Amino acid sequence: MDRFHIVGGRSLRGTVQVSGSKNAALPILFSTLLGGSLEVDNLPSLRDIRTALSLLSQLGIRAVSLPESPDEEPGSSMPGTSGEASWTGAFRLWEDELASFEAPYDLVRTMRASILCLGPLLAHRKRARVSLPGGCLIGSRPVDMHLNAFAKMGARISIDHGYIDANTDGLVGCDIHLAYPTVTGTENILMAAVLAKGQTRIFNAAQEPEVTDLAWSLIRRGARIEGVGTSTLSVEGVKSLSPGAHSVMWDRIEAGTFLVAGALLGESLTVKGLDPSLLISLMTALSEMGAAFETKGDSVMISRIANPKATSVRTEPYPGFPTDMQAQILPLMAIADGPSTVVETVFENRFTHVMEMNRMGANIDIHGSRAFVRGRSVLEGASVMASDLRASAGLVLAGLLANGETVIQRVYHIDRGYERIEKKLEALGARIKRVREEAAQ
Ligand code: EPZ
């Protein structure tokens, strides 16, 4: 297991380019199970994207990587095995055979988002067998809202030996009222509705920009969707999708992570390739803490906040403050001039990073879903353990800020969702290196 060695305290300057969004790319990749073909680019080179390509390959979706320049020949690389060097971020995917319909435990347990194959498989192949994703460290994360919606649309669903077994004679559109605006739930139902008979309306739909990106990628292939970007999606089913192309949106959480890095250590740090209007809740919290932004087109420049002020955030569905950003803002709160609070409303156990940050000198108490951050701490480097993707990003930021050396174990978590983070940070002036397992022994 690789680890990061970080020597903290270095300023960050220069420009960092934001990569394509993992959480937009995943549903778009799984939407190829609806049939037709898709040319997709701006896919980030991440472990979760390779897992998705590998699952799709088992489900009969073929993929070839496309060259960066249109003059070159398409590659013959098998999906999921392309190395970093050959990764262009662009693939053509198409359905090659329809016989398989099973997402096995071994893949689903490494990536819960595999549940996103359920809706398209049911809609197009009328049968799906998907390993039931278990809980994970951040919460129990049931998928009841996905299953209830599919049942209402006419699927017969049973749970059998840890698998969701579902089949249908053909999905039929209906009104779905979500009890909570679940992100992957909305995406799964949206994909199923695209080929269902008649109209489906999804009320209290998630409004995350990644849901919107999926909707546009489907519309480009002939799907009939209205209300994109709102909490009510209305879908008129079509018989089949046509070939299409889509460029995956930028990663909001990666961009946000670099903005917080800038607030901690930036010297005119520019984060490029984003749309600031989709980061308002984060930028508002950073402004309250004293950050000043200079926005030009798709770039935002930010510098270190000399004396960060305390603030409070409450995680909520979009457009609220993202749960995927609370671990990263905690180091800034730890050094702020007074007490700050984070209320986590989305997941029930998303503070695993706090104990590790406290070992670095932060003073944070957890009471249920609230983290009380005392402030005025001086962070010291330490050996810490990454426990999930965003927790790891929070620890990397704490390590960049801390005095002395921080060693972060289990960075495979961060490789799921941040493309070459250590290379990007190094280019900005950070002292961070990856120590490979073999070298570490
Ligand atoms: C998506 O997860 C993201 N994953 C998560 O990003 C993100 O943290 C989360 O949305 C919230 O923004 C992907 O997009 C692949 P939810 P998802 O369904 O869809 C409960 C990251 O670090 N719920 O919106 O799984 C659930 O338990 C990841 O990139 C039910 O009770 O989140 C949770 O408490 C982590 N029943 C809440 O809703 C259901 O059927 C929100 O979950 C579905 C969800």
Side-chain angles (χ1 to χ4, degrees):
M1 274 179 266
D2 294 358
R3 58 195 192 213
F4 282 159
H5 287 238
I6 301 173
V7 179
R10 301 275 295 233
S11 300
L12 303 177
R13 57 176 81 89
T15 299
V16 61
Q17 175 72 39
V18 181
S19 296
S21 158
K22 163 180 87 76
N23 288 350
L26 291 173
I28 291 169
L29 286 174
F30 284 114
S31 74
T32 56
L33 291 165
L34 290 166
S37 71
L38 176 68
E39 282 193 12
V40 59
D41 69 13
N42 206 28
L43 289 174
S45 172
L46 296 173
R47 206 152 63 90
D48 275 12
I49 299 298
R50 291 187 167 83
T51 304
L53 289 170
S54 160
L55 173 54
L56 285 169
S57 150
Q58 291 190 28
L59 290 168
I61 300 294
R62 296 292 153 251
V64 288
S65 68
L66 299 175
E68 264 164 314
S69 139
D71 302 334
E72 291 169 43
E73 289 294 309
S76 58
S77 57
M78 283 297 292
T81 57
S82 313
E84 185 78 28
S86 59
W87 187 267
T88 63
F91 279 87
R92 181 184 305 130
L93 299 104
W94 70 96
E95 187 176 62
D96 197 37
E97 51 108 353
L98 284 97
S100 46
F101 48 81
E102 178 166 323
Y105 173 70
D106 276 351
L107 280 172
V108 177
R109 85 184 156 82
T110 63
M111 189 182 73
R112 303 186 88 265
S114 310
I115 188 71
L116 286 166
C117 69
L118 180 57
L121 279 177
L122 256 180
H124 188 44
R125 302 189 190 175
K126 301 192 167 53
R127 171 103 208 253
R129 194 172 149 77
V130 179
S131 175
L132 193 60
C136 72
L137 207 63
I138 66 175
S140 59
R141 305 185 73 181
V143 290
D144 55 315
M145 286 188 259
H146 306 227
L147 302 188
N148 291 341
F150 297 139
K152 200 167 176 204
M153 294 170 85
R156 293 173 288 271
I157 299 176
S158 58
I159 307 293
D160 157 36
H161 293 91
Y163 275 76
I164 302 163
D165 213 322
N167 62 75
T168 176
D169 302 326
L171 296 180
V172 180
C174 62
D175 282 355
I176 307 285
H177 295 265
L178 293 173
Y180 186 92
T182 159
V183 175
T184 47
T186 302
E187 293 164 345
N188 228 345
I189 300 163
L190 179 64
M191 288 189 278
V194 157
L195 295 186
K197 194 165 176 222
Q199 189 188 53
T200 304
R201 289 186 301 173
I202 310 171
F203 296 96
N204 200 22
Q207 297 173 66
E208 267 68 5
E210 293 75 21
V211 178
T212 298
D213 205 37
L214 167 67
W216 283 115
S217 80
L218 293 167
I219 291 169
R220 293 212 166 93
R221 281 178 280 161
R224 292 176 57 195
I225 306 170
E226 280 177 15
V228 176
T230 74
S231 62
T232 306
L233 293 170
S234 176
V235 187
E236 199 62 52
V238 294
K239 285 215 156 46
S240 60
L241 292 184
S242 16
H246 187 77
S247 191
V248 173
M249 71 173 284
W250 55 282
D251 194 308
R252 283 187 304 135
I253 307 304
E254 189 203 18
T257 303
F258 280 110
L259 287 180
V260 178
L264 289 167
L265 293 152
E267 262 182 32
S268 305
L269 172 71
T270 299
V271 187
K272 186 172 169 44
L274 52 81
D275 171 357
S277 72
L278 304 184
L279 285 171
I280 285 175
S281 57
L282 171 69
M283 289 171 76
T284 303
L286 292 176
S287 299
E288 282 165 11
M289 299 186 86
F293 303 102
E294 215 175 283
T295 302
K296 217 186 263 172
D298 71 346
S299 297
V300 175
M301 193 169 81
I302 181 169
S303 291
R304 184 176 82 88
I305 307 174
N307 294 300
K309 297 188 211 27
T311 193
S312 290
V313 299
R314 181 186 168 86
T315 68
E316 279 170 341
Y318 186 84
F321 189 92
T323 171
D324 289 348
M325 279 305 304
Q326 56 95 336
Q328 299 89 316
I329 205 166
L330 280 174
L332 190 58
M333 290 177 162
I335 59 164
D337 69 355
S340 297
T341 312
V342 173
V343 184
E344 170 59 57
T345 75
V346 181
F347 292 111
E348 60 270 30
N349 187 30
R350 212 173 192 187
F351 285 126
T352 51
H353 39 279
V354 163
M355 292 315 291
E356 299 299 277
M357 287 183 189
N358 282 350
R359 293 182 52 247
M360 297 177 73
N363 192 335
I364 309 172
D365 285 327
I366 305 294
H367 293 283
S369 60
R370 280 159 203 268
F372 295 99
V373 190
R374 193 70 58 86
R376 299 200 185 92
S377 296
V378 175
L379 299 190
E380 304 287 345
S383 251
V384 292
M385 188 83 84
S387 54
D388 75 58
L389 168 56
R390 307 305 171 187
S392 321
L395 291 175
V396 167
L397 294 184
L400 292 173
L401 180 67
N403 297 321
E405 190 182 48
T406 295
V407 178
I408 304 181
Q409 313 276 356
R410 301 198 175 172
V411 299
Y412 61 87
H413 289 293
I414 212 164
D415 294 335
R416 292 186 54 187
Y418 287 86
E419 193 176 48
R420 302 187 321 273
I421 190 169
E422 75 278 22
K423 298 280 177 227
K424 288 189 178 186
L425 286 168
E426 211 178 6
L428 298 173
R431 281 182 65 190
I432 174 168
K433 70 171 193 280
R434 178 185 293 260
V435 176
R436 303 244 169 233
E437 185 178 26
E438 314 81 76
Q441 285 168 353

